[in-house]
Structures are given as C-alpha cells and as structure tokens.
Amino acid sequence: PRKITVGGAQLGPIQRAESRTDVVRRLIDLLEKAHRRGCSLVVFPELALTTFFPRWYADDIAEMDVYFEREMPSAETQPLFDRARELGVGFYLGYAELDDQGGTLHRYNTAVLVDQTGSIVGKYRKVHLPGHKEFDDSLTRQHLEKRYFEPGDLGFPVWRSMDGVMGMCICNDRRWPETWRSLGMRGVELVMLGYNTPTGNQHGGMEPPHQRMFHNHLSIQAGAYQNATWAVAVAKAGVEDGHELMGGSCIVSPQGEIVALASTVEDELIVADCDLDLCNFGKSTIFNFAAHRRPEHYKIITEQ
Ligand code: ING
C-alpha cells in the first residue's frame, strides 16, 4: 500500500509584532517533531508566516506589503527549507505572495508544495476570497482579503508527488464544492489546505462555537468523501491582537471520517498514516466519475 505519514502542524496565534524569524523557529520545531513521529509530509496553515493581517484596514494597500513575500524561499524562510531537506520531509506552506510581473505588482494568498528534496513542486493561489474590499463600518470586524489579494489565476492543479496525486487549496476554498470536484476530476488523493477562520462573525454576533466548527468539518468531510480523497486541514488558531481564530485542525479519510483532530488552539501537531490506496474504493465505485457523472446536466455550475 502507498502509505504516507502526514503531519498537520497547527499554529497558535502570530501577533502583529512577531518577526518571521520567530515564526520560522516555531515552524521548524513542528517540522522536527513531525519527523520524530515518522512524518514525510507536513501541512502548515494559510498565511503561516505572519498574523492574519486582512483583519486590518490600510488606505494604501502597499502598507501591508510588509506581510508579503517577494520570493520563496526568502532569507527568513530558507532555514525551514534547509531543515526540511536535511530531514527528508516535504511540506505545504501558506503565505502572502507579492509577484512582480514585469513591473506590475500582483498580490495573492498562496501556498506552495515542497517535496522531500526541498524543491517547490507546485504553487496554488487562493481562488475564493471571502469578505469585502472596502472598509465597512457596519461591521464589528473587517475581513479585507478582497482588498489585499487578487483571486488566484492558477486554477486547481494537482501534482504527482510522494507516490500520489497531491492537491492544494486555501481556507474559504474548502467551503465550495467546486474546489473539491475540480481536484477530484484530476484524480486527487490528498488535498492539503490551511485556514485562518475568525470565530466571531462580522455583525457582532457569535454563532454558537460548535456551529462554526461544524461548518468547518462538514465542508472538509463532504469534500473528501465526495471525491474519495484524503484531506489535511490545518488552522492558525488562538487570539491574535485580540481577535480569535478557531482551531479544529483535522485529517480526514477518503470515507469522510476525521482520523486526527487538534484539541488546542496553540502550536500542535496531529499525525495520521494515510494509505493513498484507500482512495481507490470510492473512485472505482460510488464516485467512479466516468461511470456515473452526467456532465450534460451540469452546465449551470460554470455559468456566471
Ligand atoms: N476565512 C474564513 C473561512 O472561510 C469565513 C472566512 C469565516 C467564512 C467564517 C465563513 C464563516 O474559513 C478565510 N480566511 O477564508
């Protein structure tokens, strides 16, 4: 069987004042712990190098470029790549990407997949950006990803790596079935994703905490089950400068069952042995797309 031991490296809060160097130290500690527990792949959260800055408004978005990476690896993140290569552990890393395309700056909410040799196998840019673009004073909390990021322009690719078909998405993407099915159509066997999910809503209300966690796991379990794929979903959690993010990092099997679950809102490693061949059952029976899908009736899904 094609077994891969995967770690979900949940991060506790990153305060606005915290340096990348301090954060990279935390990432390396989690990576080394994962290696000690037999992992050959580790998933870090969305925007894993900085605080969740889209909660803050800046008139000139260039003010937020301090939270972006112009290159990956950068000087601050090189130690993580070096240590991962030494230990032979691949990883998913979420970060804010500043891409200079011939003098024009483009900003994306990005994740990279790095293999056990420390080289970048693939890049994904978040497609579903939640929230709003302008300051909205009717809200108790801002969520300005549409202000600081462009929608991803790379689609939902998969990469053959680590003896399987690997896919990535980011945070809000997990709530959209289109994300999972796009990856499923490409034969994905393990979807990695990081998230930063505020607990309070933007209208001052607090959904019952169990409801927010329920929707998180519901989305991931459904996506995994309906596309017969493993899913590793990893939070940045805890209170960042007074703003709370939920935890609930989990590893979900191709049958949609949670096989590993975080119990804290701090730096915490969860681990599971993922047998990629467990995907074969769903892909060859209930979710045998070639045998059962009727795309002639689905056109509406791609309409505006
Ligand atoms: N965060 C949230 C998420 O999709 C959100 C936005 C929060 C949507 C609560 C719905 C409910 O998990 C990001 N960064 O996408």
PDB file of all heavy atoms in Angstrom, residues 263-297:
ATOM      1  N   SER A 263      -6.687  19.457  19.558  1.00  0.00           N
ATOM      2  CA  SER A 263      -7.520  19.704  20.742  1.00  0.00           C
ATOM      3  C   SER A 263      -7.186  21.037  21.406  1.00  0.00           C
ATOM      4  O   SER A 263      -7.826  21.419  22.383  1.00  0.00           O
ATOM      5  CB  SER A 263      -7.334  18.573  21.765  1.00  0.00           C
ATOM      6  OG  SER A 263      -5.949  18.410  22.030  1.00  0.00           O
ATOM      7  N   THR A 264      -6.194  21.759  20.832  1.00  0.00           N
ATOM      8  CA  THR A 264      -5.829  23.040  21.442  1.00  0.00           C
ATOM      9  C   THR A 264      -5.973  24.147  20.406  1.00  0.00           C
ATOM     10  O   THR A 264      -6.336  23.876  19.257  1.00  0.00           O
ATOM     11  CB  THR A 264      -4.343  23.030  21.894  1.00  0.00           C
ATOM     12  OG1 THR A 264      -3.509  23.108  20.716  1.00  0.00           O
ATOM     13  CG2 THR A 264      -4.012  21.772  22.687  1.00  0.00           C
ATOM     14  N   VAL A 265      -5.677  25.371  20.825  1.00  0.00           N
ATOM     15  CA  VAL A 265      -5.599  26.496  19.878  1.00  0.00           C
ATOM     16  C   VAL A 265      -4.183  27.070  19.926  1.00  0.00           C
ATOM     17  O   VAL A 265      -3.968  28.276  19.842  1.00  0.00           O
ATOM     18  CB  VAL A 265      -6.658  27.591  20.165  1.00  0.00           C
ATOM     19  CG1 VAL A 265      -8.026  27.140  19.690  1.00  0.00           C
ATOM     20  CG2 VAL A 265      -6.672  27.960  21.644  1.00  0.00           C
ATOM     21  N   GLU A 266      -3.224  26.151  20.043  1.00  0.00           N
ATOM     22  CA  GLU A 266      -1.795  26.538  20.082  1.00  0.00           C
ATOM     23  C   GLU A 266      -1.044  25.763  19.010  1.00  0.00           C
ATOM     24  O   GLU A 266      -1.658  25.003  18.248  1.00  0.00           O
ATOM     25  CB  GLU A 266      -1.226  26.159  21.470  1.00  0.00           C
ATOM     26  CG  GLU A 266      -1.785  26.986  22.606  1.00  0.00           C
ATOM     27  CD  GLU A 266      -1.967  26.166  23.891  1.00  0.00           C
ATOM     28  OE1 GLU A 266      -1.390  25.057  23.981  1.00  0.00           O
ATOM     29  OE2 GLU A 266      -2.694  26.626  24.776  1.00  0.00           O
ATOM     30  N   ASP A 267       0.297  25.944  18.992  1.00  0.00           N
ATOM     31  CA  ASP A 267       1.109  25.103  18.109  1.00  0.00           C
ATOM     32  C   ASP A 267       0.868  23.658  18.524  1.00  0.00           C
ATOM     33  O   ASP A 267       1.098  23.289  19.679  1.00  0.00           O
ATOM     34  CB  ASP A 267       2.601  25.441  18.276  1.00  0.00           C
ATOM     35  CG  ASP A 267       2.940  26.824  17.740  1.00  0.00           C
ATOM     36  OD1 ASP A 267       2.007  27.613  17.464  1.00  0.00           O
ATOM     37  OD2 ASP A 267       4.145  27.124  17.595  1.00  0.00           O
ATOM     38  N   GLU A 268       0.379  22.852  17.594  1.00  0.00           N
ATOM     39  CA  GLU A 268       0.045  21.464  17.923  1.00  0.00           C
ATOM     40  C   GLU A 268       0.183  20.613  16.677  1.00  0.00           C
ATOM     41  O   GLU A 268      -0.268  21.024  15.603  1.00  0.00           O
ATOM     42  CB  GLU A 268      -1.387  21.354  18.463  1.00  0.00           C
ATOM     43  CG  GLU A 268      -1.813  19.918  18.758  1.00  0.00           C
ATOM     44  CD  GLU A 268      -3.249  19.786  19.267  1.00  0.00           C
ATOM     45  OE1 GLU A 268      -3.879  20.830  19.552  1.00  0.00           O
ATOM     46  OE2 GLU A 268      -3.730  18.632  19.349  1.00  0.00           O
ATOM     47  N   LEU A 269       0.807  19.448  16.824  1.00  0.00           N
ATOM     48  CA  LEU A 269       0.983  18.537  15.693  1.00  0.00           C
ATOM     49  C   LEU A 269      -0.026  17.408  15.774  1.00  0.00           C
ATOM     50  O   LEU A 269      -0.149  16.757  16.815  1.00  0.00           O
ATOM     51  CB  LEU A 269       2.409  17.951  15.706  1.00  0.00           C
ATOM     52  CG  LEU A 269       2.730  17.001  14.551  1.00  0.00           C
ATOM     53  CD1 LEU A 269       2.850  17.780  13.245  1.00  0.00           C
ATOM     54  CD2 LEU A 269       3.998  16.217  14.836  1.00  0.00           C
ATOM     55  N   ILE A 270      -0.758  17.198  14.670  1.00  0.00           N
ATOM     56  CA  ILE A 270      -1.590  15.988  14.583  1.00  0.00           C
ATOM     57  C   ILE A 270      -0.997  15.129  13.473  1.00  0.00           C
ATOM     58  O   ILE A 270      -0.403  15.644  12.526  1.00  0.00           O
ATOM     59  CB  ILE A 270      -3.078  16.335  14.289  1.00  0.00           C
ATOM     60  CG1 ILE A 270      -3.225  17.128  12.994  1.00  0.00           C
ATOM     61  CG2 ILE A 270      -3.693  17.076  15.459  1.00  0.00           C
ATOM     62  CD1 ILE A 270      -4.676  17.378  12.587  1.00  0.00           C
ATOM     63  N   VAL A 271      -1.133  13.803  13.600  1.00  0.00           N
ATOM     64  CA  VAL A 271      -0.469  12.888  12.663  1.00  0.00           C
ATOM     65  C   VAL A 271      -1.422  11.762  12.270  1.00  0.00           C
ATOM     66  O   VAL A 271      -2.208  11.297  13.103  1.00  0.00           O
ATOM     67  CB  VAL A 271       0.805  12.271  13.306  1.00  0.00           C
ATOM     68  CG1 VAL A 271       1.470  11.266  12.350  1.00  0.00           C
ATOM     69  CG2 VAL A 271       1.797  13.366  13.674  1.00  0.00           C
ATOM     70  N   ALA A 272      -1.355  11.338  11.005  1.00  0.00           N
ATOM     71  CA  ALA A 272      -2.101  10.146  10.586  1.00  0.00           C
ATOM     72  C   ALA A 272      -1.310   9.411   9.513  1.00  0.00           C
ATOM     73  O   ALA A 272      -0.588  10.025   8.724  1.00  0.00           O
ATOM     74  CB  ALA A 272      -3.477  10.539  10.046  1.00  0.00           C
ATOM     75  N   ASP A 273      -1.469   8.079   9.485  1.00  0.00           N
ATOM     76  CA  ASP A 273      -0.899   7.273   8.404  1.00  0.00           C
ATOM     77  C   ASP A 273      -1.930   7.247   7.294  1.00  0.00           C
ATOM     78  O   ASP A 273      -3.002   6.663   7.452  1.00  0.00           O
ATOM     79  CB  ASP A 273      -0.636   5.833   8.896  1.00  0.00           C
ATOM     80  CG  ASP A 273       0.503   5.782   9.913  1.00  0.00           C
ATOM     81  OD1 ASP A 273       1.396   6.649   9.834  1.00  0.00           O
ATOM     82  OD2 ASP A 273       0.460   4.906  10.808  1.00  0.00           O
ATOM     83  N   CYS A 274      -1.627   7.907   6.194  1.00  0.00           N
ATOM     84  CA  CYS A 274      -2.595   7.997   5.098  1.00  0.00           C
ATOM     85  C   CYS A 274      -2.246   6.973   4.023  1.00  0.00           C
ATOM     86  O   CYS A 274      -1.238   7.116   3.328  1.00  0.00           O
ATOM     87  CB  CYS A 274      -2.570   9.411   4.507  1.00  0.00           C
ATOM     88  SG  CYS A 274      -2.969  10.679   5.727  1.00  0.00           S
ATOM     89  N   ASP A 275      -3.111   5.961   3.902  1.00  0.00           N
ATOM     90  CA  ASP A 275      -2.912   4.957   2.855  1.00  0.00           C
ATOM     91  C   ASP A 275      -3.616   5.471   1.607  1.00  0.00           C
ATOM     92  O   ASP A 275      -4.854   5.472   1.532  1.00  0.00           O
ATOM     93  CB  ASP A 275      -3.506   3.606   3.305  1.00  0.00           C
ATOM     94  CG  ASP A 275      -3.408   2.550   2.210  1.00  0.00           C
ATOM     95  OD1 ASP A 275      -2.924   2.876   1.095  1.00  0.00           O
ATOM     96  OD2 ASP A 275      -3.836   1.405   2.460  1.00  0.00           O
ATOM     97  N   LEU A 276      -2.854   5.930   0.640  1.00  0.00           N
ATOM     98  CA  LEU A 276      -3.444   6.556  -0.553  1.00  0.00           C
ATOM     99  C   LEU A 276      -4.300   5.552  -1.335  1.00  0.00           C
ATOM    100  O   LEU A 276      -5.232   5.935  -2.042  1.00  0.00           O
ATOM    101  CB  LEU A 276      -2.343   7.147  -1.436  1.00  0.00           C
ATOM    102  CG  LEU A 276      -1.490   8.249  -0.775  1.00  0.00           C
ATOM    103  CD1 LEU A 276      -0.432   8.777  -1.747  1.00  0.00           C
ATOM    104  CD2 LEU A 276      -2.359   9.385  -0.266  1.00  0.00           C
ATOM    105  N   ASP A 277      -4.024   4.273  -1.164  1.00  0.00           N
ATOM    106  CA  ASP A 277      -4.835   3.267  -1.869  1.00  0.00           C
ATOM    107  C   ASP A 277      -6.264   3.195  -1.330  1.00  0.00           C
ATOM    108  O   ASP A 277      -7.153   2.631  -1.963  1.00  0.00           O
ATOM    109  CB  ASP A 277      -4.163   1.889  -1.787  1.00  0.00           C
ATOM    110  CG  ASP A 277      -2.942   1.809  -2.705  1.00  0.00           C
ATOM    111  OD1 ASP A 277      -2.938   2.523  -3.738  1.00  0.00           O
ATOM    112  OD2 ASP A 277      -1.987   1.077  -2.390  1.00  0.00           O
ATOM    113  N   LEU A 278      -6.498   3.826  -0.144  1.00  0.00           N
ATOM    114  CA  LEU A 278      -7.879   3.873   0.380  1.00  0.00           C
ATOM    115  C   LEU A 278      -8.777   4.706  -0.537  1.00  0.00           C
ATOM    116  O   LEU A 278     -10.002   4.624  -0.462  1.00  0.00           O
ATOM    117  CB  LEU A 278      -7.888   4.477   1.793  1.00  0.00           C
ATOM    118  CG  LEU A 278      -7.756   3.511   2.978  1.00  0.00           C
ATOM    119  CD1 LEU A 278      -7.872   4.282   4.298  1.00  0.00           C
ATOM    120  CD2 LEU A 278      -8.830   2.426   2.907  1.00  0.00           C
ATOM    121  N   CYS A 279      -8.173   5.532  -1.400  1.00  0.00           N
ATOM    122  CA  CYS A 279      -8.978   6.341  -2.333  1.00  0.00           C
ATOM    123  C   CYS A 279      -9.581   5.471  -3.426  1.00  0.00           C
ATOM    124  O   CYS A 279     -10.610   5.809  -4.025  1.00  0.00           O
ATOM    125  CB  CYS A 279      -8.107   7.416  -2.985  1.00  0.00           C
ATOM    126  SG  CYS A 279      -7.311   8.519  -1.826  1.00  0.00           S
ATOM    127  N   ASN A 280      -8.915   4.332  -3.709  1.00  0.00           N
ATOM    128  CA  ASN A 280      -9.317   3.528  -4.870  1.00  0.00           C
ATOM    129  C   ASN A 280     -10.757   3.046  -4.755  1.00  0.00           C
ATOM    130  O   ASN A 280     -11.505   3.048  -5.743  1.00  0.00           O
ATOM    131  CB  ASN A 280      -8.383   2.316  -5.035  1.00  0.00           C
ATOM    132  CG  ASN A 280      -6.936   2.735  -5.207  1.00  0.00           C
ATOM    133  OD1 ASN A 280      -6.661   3.911  -5.501  1.00  0.00           O
ATOM    134  ND2 ASN A 280      -6.011   1.815  -4.993  1.00  0.00           N
ATOM    135  N   PHE A 281     -11.200   2.698  -3.536  1.00  0.00           N
ATOM    136  CA  PHE A 281     -12.562   2.155  -3.398  1.00  0.00           C
ATOM    137  C   PHE A 281     -13.590   3.177  -3.893  1.00  0.00           C
ATOM    138  O   PHE A 281     -14.370   2.911  -4.798  1.00  0.00           O
ATOM    139  CB  PHE A 281     -12.859   1.768  -1.952  1.00  0.00           C
ATOM    140  CG  PHE A 281     -14.284   1.316  -1.754  1.00  0.00           C
ATOM    141  CD1 PHE A 281     -14.695   0.069  -2.217  1.00  0.00           C
ATOM    142  CD2 PHE A 281     -15.227   2.162  -1.188  1.00  0.00           C
ATOM    143  CE1 PHE A 281     -16.024  -0.337  -2.080  1.00  0.00           C
ATOM    144  CE2 PHE A 281     -16.553   1.766  -1.046  1.00  0.00           C
ATOM    145  CZ  PHE A 281     -16.947   0.517  -1.493  1.00  0.00           C
ATOM    146  N   GLY A 282     -13.566   4.379  -3.329  1.00  0.00           N
ATOM    147  CA  GLY A 282     -14.550   5.397  -3.711  1.00  0.00           C
ATOM    148  C   GLY A 282     -14.455   5.761  -5.175  1.00  0.00           C
ATOM    149  O   GLY A 282     -15.464   5.903  -5.869  1.00  0.00           O
ATOM    150  N   LYS A 283     -13.226   5.851  -5.678  1.00  0.00           N
ATOM    151  CA  LYS A 283     -13.025   6.282  -7.075  1.00  0.00           C
ATOM    152  C   LYS A 283     -13.455   5.193  -8.058  1.00  0.00           C
ATOM    153  O   LYS A 283     -13.652   5.475  -9.244  1.00  0.00           O
ATOM    154  CB  LYS A 283     -11.563   6.658  -7.302  1.00  0.00           C
ATOM    155  CG  LYS A 283     -11.102   7.930  -6.571  1.00  0.00           C
ATOM    156  CD  LYS A 283      -9.656   8.282  -6.924  1.00  0.00           C
ATOM    157  CE  LYS A 283      -9.053   9.362  -6.039  1.00  0.00           C
ATOM    158  NZ  LYS A 283      -9.709  10.679  -6.133  1.00  0.00           N
ATOM    159  N   SER A 284     -13.561   3.948  -7.580  1.00  0.00           N
ATOM    160  CA  SER A 284     -13.931   2.872  -8.510  1.00  0.00           C
ATOM    161  C   SER A 284     -15.367   2.393  -8.290  1.00  0.00           C
ATOM    162  O   SER A 284     -15.859   1.569  -9.041  1.00  0.00           O
ATOM    163  CB  SER A 284     -12.984   1.677  -8.329  1.00  0.00           C
ATOM    164  OG  SER A 284     -13.110   1.190  -7.001  1.00  0.00           O
ATOM    165  N   THR A 285     -16.068   2.949  -7.280  1.00  0.00           N
ATOM    166  CA  THR A 285     -17.460   2.515  -7.050  1.00  0.00           C
ATOM    167  C   THR A 285     -18.374   3.751  -7.019  1.00  0.00           C
ATOM    168  O   THR A 285     -18.648   4.325  -8.052  1.00  0.00           O
ATOM    169  CB  THR A 285     -17.555   1.746  -5.713  1.00  0.00           C
ATOM    170  OG1 THR A 285     -17.068   2.596  -4.663  1.00  0.00           O
ATOM    171  CG2 THR A 285     -16.725   0.467  -5.763  1.00  0.00           C
ATOM    172  N   ILE A 286     -18.707   4.205  -5.825  1.00  0.00           N
ATOM    173  CA  ILE A 286     -19.728   5.262  -5.704  1.00  0.00           C
ATOM    174  C   ILE A 286     -19.358   6.507  -6.498  1.00  0.00           C
ATOM    175  O   ILE A 286     -20.205   7.125  -7.140  1.00  0.00           O
ATOM    176  CB  ILE A 286     -19.892   5.647  -4.210  1.00  0.00           C
ATOM    177  CG1 ILE A 286     -20.184   4.396  -3.377  1.00  0.00           C
ATOM    178  CG2 ILE A 286     -21.001   6.678  -4.029  1.00  0.00           C
ATOM    179  CD1 ILE A 286     -19.719   4.550  -1.939  1.00  0.00           C
ATOM    180  N   PHE A 287     -18.058   6.896  -6.429  1.00  0.00           N
ATOM    181  CA  PHE A 287     -17.622   8.132  -7.095  1.00  0.00           C
ATOM    182  C   PHE A 287     -16.712   7.811  -8.285  1.00  0.00           C
ATOM    183  O   PHE A 287     -15.708   8.483  -8.529  1.00  0.00           O
ATOM    184  CB  PHE A 287     -16.961   9.062  -6.078  1.00  0.00           C
ATOM    185  CG  PHE A 287     -17.927   9.502  -5.018  1.00  0.00           C
ATOM    186  CD1 PHE A 287     -17.808   9.037  -3.711  1.00  0.00           C
ATOM    187  CD2 PHE A 287     -19.011  10.314  -5.333  1.00  0.00           C
ATOM    188  CE1 PHE A 287     -18.741   9.406  -2.747  1.00  0.00           C
ATOM    189  CE2 PHE A 287     -19.949  10.689  -4.376  1.00  0.00           C
ATOM    190  CZ  PHE A 287     -19.811  10.225  -3.077  1.00  0.00           C
ATOM    191  N   ASN A 288     -17.130   6.784  -9.011  1.00  0.00           N
ATOM    192  CA  ASN A 288     -16.483   6.497 -10.291  1.00  0.00           C
ATOM    193  C   ASN A 288     -17.052   7.492 -11.291  1.00  0.00           C
ATOM    194  O   ASN A 288     -18.132   7.295 -11.862  1.00  0.00           O
ATOM    195  CB  ASN A 288     -16.811   5.052 -10.692  1.00  0.00           C
ATOM    196  CG  ASN A 288     -16.277   4.705 -12.089  1.00  0.00           C
ATOM    197  OD1 ASN A 288     -15.964   5.608 -12.873  1.00  0.00           O
ATOM    198  ND2 ASN A 288     -16.183   3.424 -12.376  1.00  0.00           N
ATOM    199  N   PHE A 289     -16.348   8.618 -11.457  1.00  0.00           N
ATOM    200  CA  PHE A 289     -16.887   9.741 -12.234  1.00  0.00           C
ATOM    201  C   PHE A 289     -17.230   9.307 -13.659  1.00  0.00           C
ATOM    202  O   PHE A 289     -18.272   9.660 -14.206  1.00  0.00           O
ATOM    203  CB  PHE A 289     -15.877  10.887 -12.268  1.00  0.00           C
ATOM    204  CG  PHE A 289     -15.624  11.552 -10.942  1.00  0.00           C
ATOM    205  CD1 PHE A 289     -14.471  12.278 -10.723  1.00  0.00           C
ATOM    206  CD2 PHE A 289     -16.552  11.458  -9.908  1.00  0.00           C
ATOM    207  CE1 PHE A 289     -14.241  12.921  -9.511  1.00  0.00           C
ATOM    208  CE2 PHE A 289     -16.328  12.084  -8.685  1.00  0.00           C
ATOM    209  CZ  PHE A 289     -15.169  12.823  -8.496  1.00  0.00           C
ATOM    210  N   ALA A 290     -16.373   8.505 -14.272  1.00  0.00           N
ATOM    211  CA  ALA A 290     -16.601   8.120 -15.684  1.00  0.00           C
ATOM    212  C   ALA A 290     -17.895   7.331 -15.817  1.00  0.00           C
ATOM    213  O   ALA A 290     -18.651   7.510 -16.775  1.00  0.00           O
ATOM    214  CB  ALA A 290     -15.407   7.298 -16.170  1.00  0.00           C
ATOM    215  N   ALA A 291     -18.195   6.513 -14.812  1.00  0.00           N
ATOM    216  CA  ALA A 291     -19.373   5.637 -14.901  1.00  0.00           C
ATOM    217  C   ALA A 291     -20.655   6.366 -14.545  1.00  0.00           C
ATOM    218  O   ALA A 291     -21.722   6.041 -15.067  1.00  0.00           O
ATOM    219  CB  ALA A 291     -19.192   4.453 -13.952  1.00  0.00           C
ATOM    220  N   HIS A 292     -20.573   7.383 -13.647  1.00  0.00           N
ATOM    221  CA  HIS A 292     -21.819   7.885 -13.047  1.00  0.00           C
ATOM    222  C   HIS A 292     -22.119   9.360 -13.321  1.00  0.00           C
ATOM    223  O   HIS A 292     -23.273   9.769 -13.241  1.00  0.00           O
ATOM    224  CB  HIS A 292     -21.774   7.674 -11.529  1.00  0.00           C
ATOM    225  CG  HIS A 292     -21.552   6.258 -11.120  1.00  0.00           C
ATOM    226  ND1 HIS A 292     -22.274   5.203 -11.641  1.00  0.00           N
ATOM    227  CD2 HIS A 292     -20.655   5.696 -10.260  1.00  0.00           C
ATOM    228  CE1 HIS A 292     -21.858   4.070 -11.104  1.00  0.00           C
ATOM    229  NE2 HIS A 292     -20.876   4.335 -10.267  1.00  0.00           N
ATOM    230  N   ARG A 293     -21.119  10.184 -13.589  1.00  0.00           N
ATOM    231  CA  ARG A 293     -21.395  11.614 -13.762  1.00  0.00           C
ATOM    232  C   ARG A 293     -22.130  11.852 -15.077  1.00  0.00           C
ATOM    233  O   ARG A 293     -21.891  11.172 -16.074  1.00  0.00           O
ATOM    234  CB  ARG A 293     -20.092  12.425 -13.764  1.00  0.00           C
ATOM    235  CG  ARG A 293     -19.507  12.684 -12.399  1.00  0.00           C
ATOM    236  CD  ARG A 293     -18.234  13.543 -12.475  1.00  0.00           C
ATOM    237  NE  ARG A 293     -18.509  14.909 -12.902  1.00  0.00           N
ATOM    238  CZ  ARG A 293     -18.174  15.406 -14.085  1.00  0.00           C
ATOM    239  NH1 ARG A 293     -17.611  14.626 -14.992  1.00  0.00           N
ATOM    240  NH2 ARG A 293     -18.417  16.646 -14.392  1.00  0.00           N
ATOM    241  N   ARG A 294     -23.003  12.843 -15.098  1.00  0.00           N
ATOM    242  CA  ARG A 294     -23.758  13.231 -16.284  1.00  0.00           C
ATOM    243  C   ARG A 294     -23.506  14.725 -16.553  1.00  0.00           C
ATOM    244  O   ARG A 294     -24.375  15.553 -16.284  1.00  0.00           O
ATOM    245  CB  ARG A 294     -25.248  12.966 -16.083  1.00  0.00           C
ATOM    246  CG  ARG A 294     -25.612  11.541 -15.688  1.00  0.00           C
ATOM    247  CD  ARG A 294     -25.224  10.472 -16.663  1.00  0.00           C
ATOM    248  NE  ARG A 294     -25.344  10.818 -18.079  1.00  0.00           N
ATOM    249  CZ  ARG A 294     -24.750  10.090 -19.045  1.00  0.00           C
ATOM    250  NH1 ARG A 294     -24.006   9.059 -18.711  1.00  0.00           N
ATOM    251  NH2 ARG A 294     -24.900  10.447 -20.308  1.00  0.00           N
ATOM    252  N   PRO A 295     -22.314  15.053 -17.056  1.00  0.00           N
ATOM    253  CA  PRO A 295     -21.953  16.469 -17.241  1.00  0.00           C
ATOM    254  C   PRO A 295     -22.882  17.250 -18.161  1.00  0.00           C
ATOM    255  O   PRO A 295     -22.996  18.467 -18.023  1.00  0.00           O
ATOM    256  CB  PRO A 295     -20.539  16.399 -17.841  1.00  0.00           C
ATOM    257  CG  PRO A 295     -20.285  14.989 -18.192  1.00  0.00           C
ATOM    258  CD  PRO A 295     -21.216  14.140 -17.421  1.00  0.00           C
ATOM    259  N   GLU A 296     -23.636  16.568 -18.983  1.00  0.00           N
ATOM    260  CA  GLU A 296     -24.549  17.320 -19.878  1.00  0.00           C
ATOM    261  C   GLU A 296     -25.619  18.060 -19.075  1.00  0.00           C
ATOM    262  O   GLU A 296     -26.239  19.005 -19.565  1.00  0.00           O
ATOM    263  CB  GLU A 296     -25.194  16.398 -20.918  1.00  0.00           C
ATOM    264  CG  GLU A 296     -26.165  15.356 -20.383  1.00  0.00           C
ATOM    265  CD  GLU A 296     -25.467  14.047 -20.000  1.00  0.00           C
ATOM    266  OE1 GLU A 296     -24.217  14.086 -19.805  1.00  0.00           O
ATOM    267  OE2 GLU A 296     -26.161  13.024 -19.902  1.00  0.00           O
ATOM    268  N   HIS A 297     -25.795  17.693 -17.820  1.00  0.00           N
ATOM    269  CA  HIS A 297     -26.797  18.362 -16.978  1.00  0.00           C
ATOM    270  C   HIS A 297     -26.172  19.351 -15.995  1.00  0.00           C
ATOM    271  O   HIS A 297     -26.878  19.937 -15.166  1.00  0.00           O
ATOM    272  CB  HIS A 297     -27.601  17.311 -16.201  1.00  0.00           C
ATOM    273  CG  HIS A 297     -28.357  16.380 -17.094  1.00  0.00           C
ATOM    274  ND1 HIS A 297     -29.321  16.816 -17.979  1.00  0.00           N
ATOM    275  CD2 HIS A 297     -28.247  15.043 -17.281  1.00  0.00           C
ATOM    276  CE1 HIS A 297     -29.793  15.776 -18.647  1.00  0.00           C
ATOM    277  NE2 HIS A 297     -29.167  14.686 -18.259  1.00  0.00           N
TER     278      HIS A 297
END
